Amino acid sequence: MKELVFIENGRTLTDSLTIAEMFSKSHKNVLAHIKNQLTKLLEAGESEFSQLNFQPSSYLNRGKRYDKILLTKEAFSLVTMAYVTIEAMKYKVKFISKFNEMERKLLEPRVLSDKEQLIASMQLTLETSKEVTAVRKDVDELKLVVNKKMTLDYGQQQVLLRMKNTRVEKFWKLNPHLQPTLTKKMLHANAWKDLKEAFHVASYRDIRQSDLQKAINYLNDWQPRNKWLEMKAKKRCENND
C-alpha cells in the first residue's frame, strides 16, 4: 500500500494526490473540494487555520508540473468529513492511525552527541537565516575548527600505544650494546616524552585527530636522541663508580 502519511520539515502530512487515490476520487475533484473548504474557512474567519493546516505544493508528471495540496491531520479530517461510505470510513481510520504513529515518532527523544548537536544547531541557523551564503561559510569554517580541535578517541589512542610499543621493542632488539645502560622502561618513557614535546601536548591522548597520521609517522621513525643516550650512559657509569 502507498505510504499514507509522511514527515516533511518536522510535520506529519498527507497530500491531495494520496487522498484522491485512496478514496477512489479524481484529483481534480479533490482539489475542488479542498478549495471549497478553504473558501468556507475564510468566510468563517478561520484563515489562520487554513494557513497552518493547508499548504500549496506541486508534483511532476511526464515533464509537466501540477498543483497539489499538503494537509495536516486536522485538515485531512475536515476535508474527508463528508466521505461516509464503509470503505471510506476504513481508510479514514487508517489515515488517522498513521498520523498518530508518525507523530509519536517525531516525539521520541533521541540523544545527540556534542558534535551532532553543534551541526544540528548550525543547520537550523542556515534554514532560518536570510543571509544563507554568508552563514554557510561561517558554518563550514566552524566545522573545520571543531574537527581540528577534536582529540584522539579511545581506538586511536590504542593505535598510538601499539605503535610506540612496537617501535621500542624494535629499537631494543637492534641495539643490544645499549642494554647495559638502558632499560625498556626508560625507552618507553622517553618515547612518550618526545612525542608530547613534538606535538606540544600534556598527554598523547590530547593529540588532535587531524594529527593522528603525523603522530604514527613520528613513532614509526622514533629513536632516542644521542644526547639523551649519552646522559643515561654517563649516569649509569657514575652509579657504578
Side-chain angles (χ1 to χ4, degrees):
M1 179 182 288
K2 179 178 180 179
E3 192 67 46
L4 304 181
V5 178
F6 52 89
I7 296 175
E8 185 174 298
N9 295 328
R11 304 180 73 196
T12 53
L13 303 169
T14 188
D15 61 32
S16 52
L17 277 173
T18 304
I19 292 174
E21 181 179 345
M22 293 298 103
F23 290 93
S24 301
K25 297 181 180 295
S26 72
H27 188 232
K28 180 180 178 180
N29 288 341
V30 171
L31 283 179
H33 181 55
I34 291 174
K35 290 175 182 178
N36 183 47
Q37 295 296 319
L38 290 173
T39 299
K40 291 181 179 179
L41 285 169
L42 183 62
E43 293 173 352
E46 297 293 344
S47 58
E48 184 178 353
F49 180 91
S50 300
Q51 293 171 2
L52 291 174
N53 296 284
F54 294 88
Q55 179 182 328
S57 186
S58 64
Y59 68 98
L60 202 61
N61 184 26
R62 297 180 182 178
K64 293 184 67 176
R65 191 160 292 280
Y66 299 90
D67 291 337
K68 71 174 182 178
I69 303 292
L70 304 181
L71 302 89
T72 64
K73 180 171 68 175
E74 290 75 13
F76 166 81
S77 299
L78 183 65
V79 168
T80 60
M81 192 178 296
Y83 302 168
V84 293
T85 66
I86 294 176
E87 192 67 21
M89 296 302 289
K90 289 181 180 179
Y91 275 120
K92 282 198 283 187
V93 169
K94 289 181 179 180
F95 266 99
I96 297 300
S97 296
K98 195 63 178 178
F99 267 112
N100 292 338
E101 178 187 336
M102 290 292 191
E103 287 170 355
R104 283 194 296 272
K105 286 184 178 180
L106 282 177
L107 293 174
E108 288 177 356
R110 177 173 177 264
V111 179
L112 300 178
S113 67
D114 291 342
K115 186 174 181 180
E116 286 177 325
Q117 290 180 32
L118 178 60
I119 292 174
S121 177
M122 294 173 183
Q123 290 173 337
L124 180 60
T125 302
L126 280 174
E127 292 170 358
T128 57
S129 174
K130 294 181 180 179
E131 299 178 358
V132 174
T133 303
V135 173
R136 183 176 287 114
K137 181 180 178 181
D138 291 342
V139 169
D140 289 340
E141 290 176 354
L142 187 53
K143 282 183 181 178
L144 185 61
V145 170
V146 170
N147 287 332
K148 282 186 175 181
K149 288 187 176 181
M150 289 185 70
T151 55
L152 302 180
D153 60 31
Y154 178 77
Q156 293 166 330
Q157 293 170 18
Q158 293 304 300
V159 168
L160 282 191
L161 180 60
R162 288 193 295 271
M163 178 62 69
K164 184 266 297 181
N165 291 343
T166 300
R167 181 56 185 163
V168 167
E169 288 293 331
K170 183 177 181 180
F171 182 85
W172 181 257
K173 291 178 181 178
L174 291 176
N175 296 276
H177 63 284
L178 296 175
Q179 293 179 11
T181 306
L182 301 174
T183 65
K184 284 186 182 180
K185 184 176 181 180
M186 290 178 184
L187 288 173
H188 283 292
N190 186 244
W192 276 149
K193 181 176 180 295
D194 287 348
L195 180 69
K196 291 187 289 184
E197 288 180 357
F199 289 88
H200 308 289
V201 292
S203 166
Y204 76 97
R205 297 180 181 86
D206 297 327
I207 293 174
R208 294 187 296 269
Q209 289 187 11
S210 58
D211 288 333
L212 175 60
Q213 189 56 52
K214 291 180 182 178
I216 290 173
N217 294 340
Y218 180 89
L219 287 174
N220 189 51
D221 297 331
W222 175 85
Q223 62 180 17
R225 300 172 189 174
N226 289 333
K227 188 175 181 180
W228 182 82
L229 291 173
E230 292 170 0
M231 179 187 69
K232 292 298 179 182
K234 182 179 179 181
K235 188 173 183 180
R236 178 62 62 92
C237 289
E238 291 174 351
N239 291 338
N240 290 337
D241 292 342

